[in-house]
Structure formats: C-alpha cells, structure tokens
Amino acid sequence: MGKRARKRFGRYKRLVVLTVWAFCGTLSGCDRQETIAYFNGLQEEPVTEQVTEGEQTSETIPAETVAEAETEAMAETVTETEIEAPSEEYDGPTVRLVMVGDILLHDPVAESGVQQDGSYNFDAIFANMKERIEEADLALVNQEVIIGGAELDVSGYPSFNAPYELGDALVEAGFDVVLHATNHALDQGKKGVRNCVSFWRERYPEMAVLGIHDSAEKPEEIYVYEQDGIRIAILNYTYGTNGIPLPADMPYAVDLLEEERVTEDIAHAKELADFVVVCPHWGTEYQLVPSAEQTYWTDLFLKQGVDLVLGTHPHVIEPVQWYEREGD
C-alpha cells in the first residue's frame, strides 16, 4: 500500500496492548487462552475464547496460588473487555492474525513427547487448536525456550533447551512466525542460538524467525508480511536474558528492549509497512496487572506510532488496553 492506503489506516489507528498468554499451557501445564486479532483498516477486534485444561505449573510460586489469582483476574479483565467498533462500514481486505505463547518445555512436557525409538513428537499438544492456527492469515508463536537440539541435552527449568522436534511441531501446527527474543534465549549460550537459527534456516527456510541472530547481518532486517496490499511489520524484543550477558563476539545474538534500537526499528518499520506490531517479552511473571516497565514501553510505542503490542512473559492474563493516539 502507498500513502493513500496509510492515510486510510491512520483515520482509525489506535494502539492496542495485549499481554498474550495464549496457549501458554500447552507446553507448561497452564490453562490456555487464545487471542485472535483482526486488522481491516477500520478496526482491530480482539476475540478471546477461554479453554481450561490441566493444572497450573509455576517456576516460582505454588500452582494453587497462581490458579486462584488467575481466576479472579479473568473475571475482572476478560469478561469485562468490550470493544466498540467504528460506525463506518468497511468492505476492503482483511488480515486475520493469531498469536500464541508462551511455549515452555518443562520436564514433564518434554517427557510426554518421547517416542519408543527415543525421538520426540509434540504434534498432539497442538492438535486441538491446529485448525484455528491454520485458518489465520498470519500465525505468530512466542517460543519461550531455545530450540538447541538433543545434542545439547533436553532440559527444563531453570536452563531450558528443546529438541528440534518441537520446531517440527510448530510448523505442523501451522505457525508462520516464531518469536525467539525471550529471557531464556541464552540458556544454552552461543551454541544454543546458533543451533536454533541453523535448524530453522536449513529445515524450514520459509519460517520467519525473529529475535535471535547468528550473524551481524540479520538484525538490520525487518519482517514484513503482505496480503491483499496490506503490509504488516513485526518486531520482537526481550527485556533481558536472565542475567546472562550477550556473548562478546555475538552482541547481536538477541534483540533487547533498548530504546535507541527500538525507536530506530519502529521508524524503519513505518516506512516499510502500513501496520506495525511489536512483540515485547516484558513485565513480571504471574503479575496480573501491567508493571511500571510495561507502562513505560507502552507510552514509547504509542508515541512512536506502533499499532498493536502483543506482550509475552508474565504467563497469566493481563488486561487488554486501548490507547487513542492524538491526531488519529
């Protein structure tokens, strides 16, 4: 789309902020929350459907505590969220986006995928949602843990590593974009990042892999999805890597929430696309309201012209919030 199309989008642009906890339970034992967003130039309408399954699994606090707090938060946030659609009718092209995360691989889940021959298969975990994922025009997944392969040993908390078969399952489920900028991105060091990037590049070159890099050339690129003349840019960053510093010889390994870098990327993305989505790994685990950090970054995103924020990391549902940008 050219300037005329961008002007049409601008008439109704608002910043939408969601902390996605969609499907976090598939690979971490949590309940599941699917979040679907529609983009059609006039409205962005999040639709949520709650599916409860299994027990909560927490890395830091008792499952009972998390489940009780989560139930209360859902009653206050999900059921009370109402979106008022613009009154003007729109019959142009529409893009349907699905976001899923956080995909964690705690030991019991990894063990559930072990086959008789010692290999892994995780297709069953996504089977019940595969149809919805495939129906989306653009399906994003927050891959919480690095996919470093069994050669680095499959491991759970606190230093995760997933077998390549988990990547196979994500592809089989129908995802188009994998978000790897998380606090666990460096759990297996440089080798983990290199193995993961190589896996995607060699086995599934069509998969868009964001947030991690094995060379200095990649970070300058911005992923843009185009459909029916609508161009959507997607950016992915993490607040940190659990205290593990970026390798001295690979300072580009993980995309971090650094203001100068983020601001430059957003400006570039706005030149390339009509709609800009930022996927930050942020906030505080199991906190049911946005942190001061999230508020700070949301304000920055709003001022820079971002259209949709899909946050990950807290592992629980936080409120969906809409922000009107002056002049839109």
Side-chain angles (χ1 to χ4, degrees), residues 65-237:
T65 303
V66 177
E68 181 179 352
E70 174 191 311
T71 299
E72 295 177 358
M74 283 179 56
E76 296 176 359
T77 60
V78 176
T79 58
E80 295 182 4
T81 299
E82 296 182 0
I83 307 301
E84 182 179 351
S87 58
E88 184 176 340
E89 294 183 359
Y90 176 77
D91 59 0
T94 298
V95 177
R96 186 170 188 250
L97 182 151
V98 170
M99 172 66 174
V100 173
D102 303 316
I103 306 301
L104 281 163
L105 198 71
H106 286 283
D107 290 333
V109 182
E111 293 166 3
S112 73
V114 177
Q115 306 298 294
Q116 290 186 347
D117 62 359
S119 64
Y120 292 86
N121 188 304
F122 299 103
D123 291 346
I125 290 177
F126 299 98
N128 292 336
M129 298 303 296
K130 180 178 179 180
E131 182 176 352
R132 293 202 173 194
I133 295 169
E134 290 182 331
E135 286 176 350
D137 297 308
L138 184 62
L140 285 65
V141 60
N142 180 61
Q143 179 50 49
E144 181 80 16
V145 304
I146 204 73
I147 302 177
E151 66 179 89
L152 298 182
D153 294 329
V154 176
S155 57
Y157 180 79
S159 186
F160 290 91
N161 179 51
Y164 293 138
E165 287 88 343
L166 178 55
D168 296 334
L170 296 180
V171 173
E172 177 64 22
F175 292 108
D176 307 295
V177 180
V178 179
L179 309 173
H180 268 295
T182 78
N183 57 308
H184 291 291
L186 290 179
D187 279 5
Q188 300 302 316
K190 294 188 295 184
K191 183 65 172 176
V193 172
R194 287 171 173 161
N195 281 12
C196 187
V197 174
S198 294
F199 163 77
W200 289 117
R201 180 185 300 124
E202 295 171 8
R203 194 172 300 185
Y204 301 106
E206 71 282 2
M207 179 69 77
V209 180
L210 310 185
I212 59 172
H213 314 275
D214 63 352
S215 77
E217 299 176 2
K218 298 297 182 180
E220 301 305 318
E221 298 180 1
I222 290 179
Y223 173 76
V224 177
Y225 172 80
E226 184 172 5
Q227 177 180 310
D228 297 330
I230 299 175
R231 294 173 62 83
I232 302 172
I234 302 175
L235 303 170
N236 177 217
Y237 309 92

Side-chain angles (χ1 to χ4, degrees), residues 285-307:
E285 288 180 305
Y286 308 109
Q287 182 168 304
L288 301 166
V289 294
S291 65
E293 173 201 32
Q294 288 168 284
T295 301
Y296 171 83
W297 281 105
T298 296
D299 184 61
L300 184 145
F301 296 148
L302 180 66
K303 292 177 179 177
Q304 296 301 317
V306 172
D307 301 293

Side-chain angles (χ1 to χ4, degrees), residues 1 12 15 35 42 46-47 70 73 95 138 259 277 298:
M1 276 190 174
Y12 291 93
L15 179 65
T35 301
L42 292 180
V47 180
E70 174 191 311
V95 177
L138 184 62
E259 188 166 328
V277 181
T298 296

